[in-house]
Amino acid sequence: MNERTLGLLATAAMFNLAAAQTAPGQTPVAPAVPATSAPTTPVPATHTRTIPAANYVALGVFYYDQSNYDSAYVAFRAASEQDPRNAEALLGLGRTQAKLRLYSASVDTLKKLVALDGRNVSGFVALAQAYQAQYVGTSDRVAAGVGGNLDEALKVLDAADTVSKSVGGTALNVNLSKVYNERGYVYRLKGDTAQAIAAFRLASSLNPDNAVILYNLGDMYYASGDLTAAIDSLQQAVVADPRDAYSRAYYAKLLALSGNTVAAKPEAAQAARLAPTNAYAVGQYGVVSYLAKDNTNAAAQLQAAIKLDPLRYPEFYYYMGRLELDQGFLQAARGDLTKAAALASTNWEYLYYLGLSYERGQGTTAPDRSKARDNYQKALTLNPDYKLAQDGANRVK
């Protein structure tokens, strides 16, 4: 596929060169053969036209936007080989390497970019993102030597802040909003909710109509327990970009969690209509339906979301398990809640409900107090103050 991509591009370039030698509207004809039988001297072959790095960059951008990262990588790599100092090629290559989990290569590429172009704000932001991606994508961070990546990302963002102000211009506020939005991501990974909220708020004040920043701010408000502020921020995100299914689906769920399921259901349904193959949008429609006690639609939407993306959203297994637990389908509930707890092993709520499914028994499905106790204890290890788990553990002593 990669060789084919470059081959097609080279063929197209040579074809365009030949076509350029023909006047518009004319049909290319073969050169006339000399009217002589004498042998002609062979003409030396001309060099193949070199494809400009910009052409490869354009192809890379096209593939990157299509999430075809393998082909994007080939195009951006070709561009950077053609012109090693091409900033757009290096930026695209570094970002694509991170998407392909080539984290060390991504960091090296983007370091090269900011060394060559010290005023490239996007390069600094992408380097900070690469440090974060490497941190998140590495299981044993100490052994891999990436434990300090988040601090490195913050240092890079300090440099990006300075560069943005130095460059100035009409893009100053937008550039600074990107820097502070990225700071919010880093602080969220650090577990510093207050700093993350402060960074996202500053980013939003600099770029108030950016739906992504408003989404991030709302997400952090929700993580902090401020549901009212979270709903307000997500509502602004929906207004800023009405066709963004992620913001609308999240907004719908928060409305439902606040008890306003009447307003939540049409928002969730619209999100699923906007993006019928988006697992997140479809799944949140299922969550809202569950909270609204529409069990039939909840089951249908949750199952559809799980089928669309079986591993990314443990929340949907959790709500499917809750629904099955409510209906007394204990075996199915245990299966789905086990998957939820496995995919999100630090979520004490998932572990509690898994324990509850084992504590209960119905028909031919017997209770398993040992497994119930084990899951309650795991939940309490994660959150010693979780009262539901405390009560469950007391029941199965």
Side-chain angles (χ1 to χ4, degrees):
M1 177 66 181
N2 294 343
E3 292 177 358
R4 182 171 178 269
T5 299
L6 295 181
L8 287 173
L9 187 58
T11 301
M14 289 186 286
F15 176 82
N16 290 339
L17 179 61
Q21 298 169 348
T22 304
Q26 279 189 319
T27 302
V29 295
V33 178
T36 175
S37 60
T40 58
T41 303
V43 179
T46 57
H47 291 292
T48 303
R49 179 188 178 190
T50 300
I51 301 172
N55 289 22
Y56 286 118
V57 169
L59 189 62
V61 169
F62 171 78
Y63 282 127
Y64 189 93
D65 288 345
Q66 301 296 315
S67 299
N68 185 348
Y69 301 120
D70 287 321
S71 295
Y73 171 77
V74 174
F76 284 129
R77 186 183 64 185
S80 64
E81 289 172 352
Q82 181 73 14
D83 181 1
R85 300 180 66 85
N86 187 302
E88 290 181 323
L90 292 171
L91 180 62
L93 179 60
R95 285 175 169 168
T96 305
Q97 286 167 328
K99 291 291 187 182
L100 294 173
R101 302 176 65 86
L102 303 171
Y103 300 125
S104 295
S106 174
V107 169
D108 289 343
T109 298
L110 294 166
K111 279 183 176 180
K112 179 181 178 182
L113 169 59
V114 297
L116 287 170
D117 184 0
R119 293 167 65 83
N120 193 314
V121 177
S122 295
F124 283 103
V125 171
L127 178 55
Q129 292 171 337
Y131 276 124
Q132 292 173 74
Q134 187 177 40
Y135 179 86
V136 172
T138 304
S139 55
D140 191 343
R141 293 163 185 154
V142 175
V146 301
N149 270 35
L150 298 183
D151 290 329
E152 289 298 321
L154 288 176
K155 291 178 184 176
V156 171
L157 291 170
D158 286 340
D161 184 293
T162 301
V163 170
S164 297
K165 292 172 181 174
S166 173
V167 172
T170 57
L172 175 60
N173 282 357
V174 171
N175 283 336
L176 286 175
S177 74
K178 293 177 182 177
V179 172
Y180 283 100
N181 184 59
E182 210 58 44
R183 279 188 188 279
Y185 286 133
V186 176
Y187 284 125
R188 180 165 61 186
L189 288 172
K190 279 177 160 287
D192 192 336
T193 302
Q195 288 271 49
I197 288 174
F200 286 134
R201 286 180 65 181
L202 183 51
S204 185
S205 70
L206 291 163
N207 194 356
D209 295 324
N210 188 291
V212 173
I213 296 173
L214 288 165
Y215 177 99
N216 291 335
L217 179 57
D219 186 38
M220 285 311 305
Y221 277 134
Y222 179 56
S224 73
D226 191 342
L227 184 57
T228 300
I231 289 173
D232 180 63
S233 188
L234 264 297
Q235 184 181 43
Q236 292 179 57
V238 171
V239 171
D241 188 354
R243 297 194 63 79
D244 181 8
Y246 282 99
S247 293
R248 191 179 290 273
Y250 197 7
Y251 172 56
K253 181 178 81 168
L254 296 185
L255 283 173
L257 289 173
S258 74
N260 191 356
T261 55
V262 173
K265 284 192 72 177
E267 294 289 349
Q270 176 64 4
R273 280 194 294 269
L274 285 170
T277 61
N278 182 312
Y280 182 80
V282 173
Q284 293 302 347
Y285 188 20
V287 171
V288 169
S289 297
Y290 172 78
L291 295 172
K293 302 187 186 306
D294 182 355
N295 292 344
T296 301
N297 195 50
Q301 300 301 325
L302 289 168
Q303 287 169 353
I306 289 169
K307 185 176 181 181
L308 284 167
D309 197 334
L311 299 176
R312 188 172 181 183
Y313 300 108
E315 176 185 19
F316 302 151
Y317 286 110
Y318 165 70
Y319 276 103
M320 194 70 219
R322 288 283 304 273
L323 176 60
E324 292 158 342
L325 190 61
D326 293 346
Q327 296 174 332
F329 303 143
L330 294 183
Q331 289 288 11
R334 290 173 182 177
D336 282 321
L337 290 167
T338 295
K339 292 173 184 174
L343 291 170
S345 59
T346 59
N347 189 306
W348 51 82
E349 191 173 18
Y350 294 2
L351 287 163
Y352 165 74
Y353 277 97
L354 178 57
L356 187 61
S357 72
Y358 280 110
E359 183 182 352
R360 293 180 180 177
Q362 185 167 340
T364 59
T365 304
D368 189 329
R369 293 172 66 85
S370 175
K371 287 186 177 180
R373 183 166 52 249
D374 180 56
N375 282 289
Y376 290 147
Q377 288 300 329
K378 287 179 180 177
L380 288 171
T381 298
L382 292 167
N383 184 359
D385 298 324
Y386 189 32
K387 190 173 186 310
L388 288 175
Q390 291 172 350
D391 293 343
N394 289 334
R395 289 194 303 268
V396 296
K397 281 184 178 177

